[in-house]
Amino acid sequence: MTLSFDVVAAAAGSALGVSWRPRPPAPEVRADVDQVRAAFVATAARLTELADAARADGADEPADILAAQALMAGDATFVEDVVRRMGGGAAPTSVLVREVAERHAAVLDSLDSDVLRGRAADVRQIGRMVVDELAGTRRVAPDGAFVLVDEEVTAPDLLEHADRLVGAVSVRGGVNSHAAIVARSLGVPLVVQAPSPVLDVADGTLLLVDADVRRLVVSPDQDAQAEARAVAADRAAEAAADRELQALPAETVDGTLVTLLANVASGVEARRGVEAGCDGFGLVRTELAFLTARAWPTRTDHEGQLAAVLAPAGALPVTVRLLDFTNDKKPPFADAPSLGLAGLLEHPWALDAQLTALVAVGSDVDLRVLVPMVTGPGQVRAVRERLAYAAGQLGAVPPPVGAMVETPEAVAAAPAVAAESDFLSIGTNDLTAAVLGLERTDPSFATAMTLHPTVLGGVEATVRAAAAAGVPMSVCGDAAADPQVLPVLIGAGVRSVSVSPSRLAAVRRLVRAVRLSDCVEQFERARTAESSAPTASPVRLGHAS
Ligand code: PEP
Ligand code: MG
């Protein structure tokens, strides 16, 4: 019988395959203290092994996640908490392990951070892996392609079965979990918050996992199967067309070239960007690797992260942004309120650690340094001074310094900011939200809102300021990949955009389909429209025009 469920999409795509549960329900087990300690050691070893294999495959982000989980599994607090409770002897050991994992996870769950709540899943997962070790319930995966189904799908399970996995279904978990990050990185569709009856579906049952329409279908009928196969065939044809397109320049029908850069934060994304034919990295987000850090990253921390991201760049230009712990990207530091650029400037040792690492690791690439959340030229000057100092210490030439224009203040001061900068990059995500008085995390926030006349006025002012100062400028916010917005940006004079690697092919195709004169017309119409996006009350941008 066909059953259909609403689910939450954690990694895009759709897949048709037979179900397989890596750990079916098993009887509770009892173990002694030595066996428990050995199970934790074995779990940490298995995670390290998977991390090493992922790293060898070039999957740096998943490798980092697994290495961090291996550290958690090896952490004495976890195992000793279990051992302490074993004294009573009443409850089976597997129950104690799950209880301790749940207690540790509940602390993370209660924190006011999506990212940390996502980490709670890692703790539960380690608990399950330890129980697997104690009970010997790990199973051998089927030979053919399958859809992994579990109470809480884990990052190690996804990686371990990556070669035959076509999709995954999880009853628990959210879109920020490590499993979700790994699924996106592997390109495996993952749906979460599936109803628990899916755990009763027998192995080998046909499932249709459609993250794109947020549906899970158990035993789909012939029509649904045929449709899913047709979608898969279309995707494969599209991917083949993208590969051909990649060799062609991003040039409008009437010959205006647009530089296509990639936004990256990990080695995997950097490689995907290069594979998709990007002209360089327009935005390397450095803060994402440190969102769970407990203190400002050290020079060594930065060097480790940067080396993985910069390795695929070769001779391409690479723009690395300084730590931007703002809005929804705040780590749990004690001094969290003063993060962001202001925080970095208030903690000179933290700034120096990143700048020194950049100069050291970036000596082999065409490096530029980008300053986030700039509100005035003084901040660019301050970073330039510290960068000159860091470069001097290492006997290197300081790389160029640019400013992100993503605050109303930066737009208002655009000519002065441009004069102090070697290049500019517009962050439409923050700029649009700030101008329209919205939170970035507001569900109603959409990239098309960048079409609001006030935001476009900010883009226009920045284009003019860059031209007057004779410095290059790019747009690195997500609106640059929005098919509604990109032609308007080109019409405003933007000639370089930086987008997520997964959007490079679509953006190249779009640029090659538009005509500059039409783009200019679209820009002028949007710029002078009454209002082209639903908004609260937009702030005024006091730019000189
Ligand atoms: C932006 O604000 O548009 C941007 C590119 O930076 P982030 O999304 O990392 O804040
Ligand atoms: Mg931003």
Side-chain angles (χ1 to χ4, degrees):
M1 186 184 56
T2 299
L3 292 172
S4 181
F5 302 106
D6 285 335
V7 285
V8 171
S14 63
L16 192 61
V18 293
S19 67
W20 180 68
R21 285 198 65 190
R23 53 181 74 76
E28 301 296 354
V29 283
R30 290 182 183 275
D32 62 28
V33 169
D34 287 345
Q35 286 168 323
V36 168
R37 292 216 167 97
F40 272 89
V41 170
T43 299
R46 183 175 161 226
L47 286 163
T48 306
E49 211 176 276
L50 285 168
D52 291 346
R55 190 143 353 252
D57 275 355
D60 293 318
E61 195 177 13
D64 289 346
I65 289 171
L66 292 168
Q69 289 177 344
L71 285 178
M72 276 192 209
D75 181 2
T77 350
F78 199 162
V79 60
E80 292 313 321
D81 217 352
V82 176
V83 167
R84 244 192 325 275
R85 282 153 191 260
M86 287 170 69
T93 321
S94 49
V95 172
L96 292 179
V97 172
R98 274 198 297 273
E99 274 175 11
V100 170
E102 192 51 52
R103 216 164 52 86
H104 288 218
V107 174
L108 290 165
D109 259 339
S110 68
L111 297 174
D112 185 22
S113 154
D114 279 352
V115 174
L116 292 178
R117 279 197 296 272
R119 296 307 85 97
D122 293 351
V123 176
R124 289 194 189 95
Q125 171 209 308
I126 290 165
R128 275 194 300 274
M129 290 177 73
V130 170
V131 172
D132 283 350
E133 289 293 337
L134 289 173
T137 42
R138 275 177 61 197
R139 304 172 71 209
V140 178
D143 284 340
F146 62 89
V147 174
L148 194 126
V149 180
D150 205 356
E151 164 111 33
E152 190 157 23
V153 165
T154 68
D157 281 337
L158 292 174
L159 282 164
E160 186 165 341
H161 305 298
D163 52 342
R164 274 163 293 160
L165 196 60
V166 292
V169 177
S170 189
V171 171
R172 298 178 70 159
V175 298
N176 283 321
S177 68
H178 275 146
I181 295 168
V182 169
R184 290 194 286 266
S185 156
L186 294 173
V188 170
L190 166 66
V191 296
V192 298
Q193 304 295 319
S196 51
V198 300
L199 298 175
D200 300 328
V201 166
D203 279 358
T205 307
L206 194 63
L207 298 182
L208 171 57
V209 182
D210 197 338
D212 297 342
V213 296
R214 302 189 196 96
R215 294 297 288 161
L216 168 67
V217 185
V218 179
S219 306
D221 61 24
Q222 292 296 336
D223 286 352
Q225 289 181 39
E227 199 181 312
R229 291 199 176 96
V231 168
D234 283 354
R235 285 228 176 89
E238 235 171 65
D242 285 351
R243 280 192 293 278
E244 268 175 36
L245 183 80
Q246 208 170 289
L248 303 172
E251 178 178 61
T252 62
V253 173
D254 42 357
T256 299
L257 258 182
V258 176
T259 303
L260 266 195
L261 305 166
N263 292 347
V264 302
S266 64
V268 177
E269 287 169 298
R271 244 188 317 281
R272 293 233 163 114
V274 172
E275 281 161 16
C278 71
D279 299 316
F281 303 154
L283 171 64
V284 176
R285 289 184 168 100
T286 55
E287 63 282 346
L288 301 189
F290 301 113
L291 290 188
T292 53
R294 301 198 170 269
W296 286 98
T298 62
R299 172 180 167 179
T300 315
D301 295 334
H302 282 297
E303 286 183 357
Q305 186 246 350
L306 283 167
V309 186
L310 302 193
L316 296 174
V318 174
T319 301
V320 178
R321 184 175 70 186
L322 299 181
L323 291 170
D324 180 16
F325 289 131
T326 50
N327 296 321
D328 55 336
K329 298 179 292 186
K330 289 205 179 86
F333 294 177
D335 52 358
S338 63
L339 294 166
L341 175 64
L344 206 49
L345 292 171
E346 276 168 26
H347 297 83
W349 71 90
L351 176 60
D352 287 352
Q354 185 167 28
L355 293 175
T356 312
L358 267 168
V359 175
V361 178
S363 59
D364 293 336
V365 292
D366 182 3
L367 179 72
R368 295 109 212 259
V369 175
L370 181 59
V371 188
M373 287 293 176
V374 166
T375 52
Q379 292 165 328
V380 182
R381 206 174 307 129
V383 170
R384 194 188 287 287
E385 279 167 19
R386 296 310 305 172
L387 184 59
Y389 175 77
Q393 294 286 93
L394 298 179
V397 178
V401 181
M404 283 209 56
V405 178
E406 54 181 344
T407 64
E409 294 86 345
V411 172
V417 170
E420 193 62 56
S421 306
D422 298 316
F423 63 95
L424 299 179
S425 186
I426 302 181
T428 51
N429 302 339
D430 279 307
L431 184 63
T432 306
V435 168
L436 302 186
L438 288 169
E439 289 293 325
R440 279 180 62 150
T441 46
D442 189 318
S444 70
F445 183 76
T447 47
M449 290 180 177
T450 297
L451 293 175
H452 191 283
T454 315
V455 183
L456 289 180
V459 171
E460 186 181 32
T462 310
V463 169
R464 285 194 191 161
V471 297
M473 69 137 297
S474 191
V475 175
C476 64
D478 291 338
D482 182 322
Q484 260 187 289
V485 184
L486 179 63
V488 176
L489 294 176
I490 295 173
V494 171
R495 295 292 177 267
S496 168
V497 293
S498 193
V499 302
S500 128
S502 62
R503 304 289 296 151
L504 282 165
V507 169
R508 189 185 301 275
R509 187 172 293 120
L510 180 61
V511 171
R512 293 182 59 80
V514 299
R515 187 175 289 281
L516 181 62
S517 50
D518 294 340
C519 294
V520 171
E521 209 175 283
Q522 281 188 45
F523 167 69
E524 278 163 5
R525 223 178 310 123
R527 171 78 181 96
T528 52
E530 280 291 298
S531 168
S532 47
T535 86
S537 40
V539 301
R540 283 167 57 81
L541 295 179
H543 54 83
S545 55

